[in-house]
Amino acid sequence: MSVVFLLFIIILLMLSFGGISNKFFGARFMSGYGTTKIFAAYFMILLGAGILSLVVSVEDTFEGDHLTDKEIEEHDRLNSDIYPTLESGKIDEAEGLIKKDSWEFSLKEQLLDVKNMNQNAQIFIEKVDSLEEKVQVAHYSTFSYLDNIDITDRFPSPEIKLADATLKIFPTDPVEIKLVKFSNAFPFTQFSEYGEQSSNGYGMMQGMEFLYIRVPADIEISGDGQVVN
């Protein structure tokens, strides 16, 4: 539905309202004092604006989950406990981590060179006795939010490849996020006691990114990353 067509409908509604007002209240009401005319015109404008706000759709938007202040404070608290848990090699016990993606590669060599080209991701490497001729990689992150809106899923996992005993972590493309806030239209809020209130929330917080790599216990590690055992 085009905006021009909507405006045409609104004008018709305004004219209809004028005819109904004349019928019920008499011609004197609509043609009387200037204050009465202003009130009638103002009411017509509010009616048209209200209808327009209800029928105009917004496309190409992402509706994120809203986090309460308490949830954000809890995530911030868990972030402070992440590093000791990862450094101890107990990632399965870490709270507040989101597993985004995982990979598994075959490894025949006794050496693994890790090359990190993604500066946003920190790498931890665990040597596992039960793992043979395989490299397991998992991408984790903590929560990201913008004005209390969860945007964690907006940040993709990096591309990872293994070639000639070199594990390469490629950088991700920049993420552009445009924040748009919607509130009730003025015709619906002007008569409330304090109007429409908008909170600034907690601003922007991008979560921490981690790559957790598991390799066989007898593999020699070189390059980037911290060996946790």
Side-chain angles (χ1 to χ4, degrees), residues 87-154:
E87 290 173 348
S88 65
K90 300 178 180 179
I91 191 170
D92 295 332
E93 300 178 7
E95 296 182 81
L97 277 181
I98 300 172
K99 188 175 183 179
K100 289 190 168 183
D101 206 346
S102 60
W103 303 262
E104 185 172 280
F105 304 97
S106 297
L107 180 66
K108 303 297 183 181
E109 293 81 358
Q110 295 300 112
L111 169 68
L112 180 67
D113 181 36
V114 180
K115 187 174 182 180
N116 184 20
M117 294 176 282
N118 185 348
Q119 299 301 317
N120 293 327
Q122 302 178 64
I123 300 175
F124 294 90
I125 305 170
E126 178 186 1
K127 293 187 175 184
V128 183
D129 294 330
S130 60
L131 199 62
E132 296 181 2
E133 297 185 348
K134 290 182 180 179
V135 176
Q136 296 176 341
V137 184
H139 175 219
Y140 295 87
S141 77
T142 58
F143 280 86
S144 299
Y145 52 83
L146 176 62
D147 277 6
N148 290 58
I149 300 173
D150 185 359
I151 57 172
T152 307
D153 293 338
R154 305 296 285 179

Side-chain angles (χ1 to χ4, degrees), residues 174-200:
V175 176
E176 181 181 7
I177 298 177
K178 296 180 179 179
L179 176 64
V180 179
K181 292 184 177 181
F182 297 96
S183 61
N184 291 326
F186 174 70
F188 305 118
T189 61
Q190 63 167 322
F191 300 112
S192 61
E193 183 176 359
Y194 299 105
E196 187 80 2
Q197 301 295 322
S198 177
S199 173
N200 291 327

Side-chain angles (χ1 to χ4, degrees), residues 48-67:
I51 295 174
L52 185 62
S53 68
L54 293 175
V55 298
V56 175
S57 62
V58 180
E59 300 178 352
D60 300 327
T61 59
F62 166 79
E63 296 183 1
D65 295 329
H66 187 273
L67 301 174

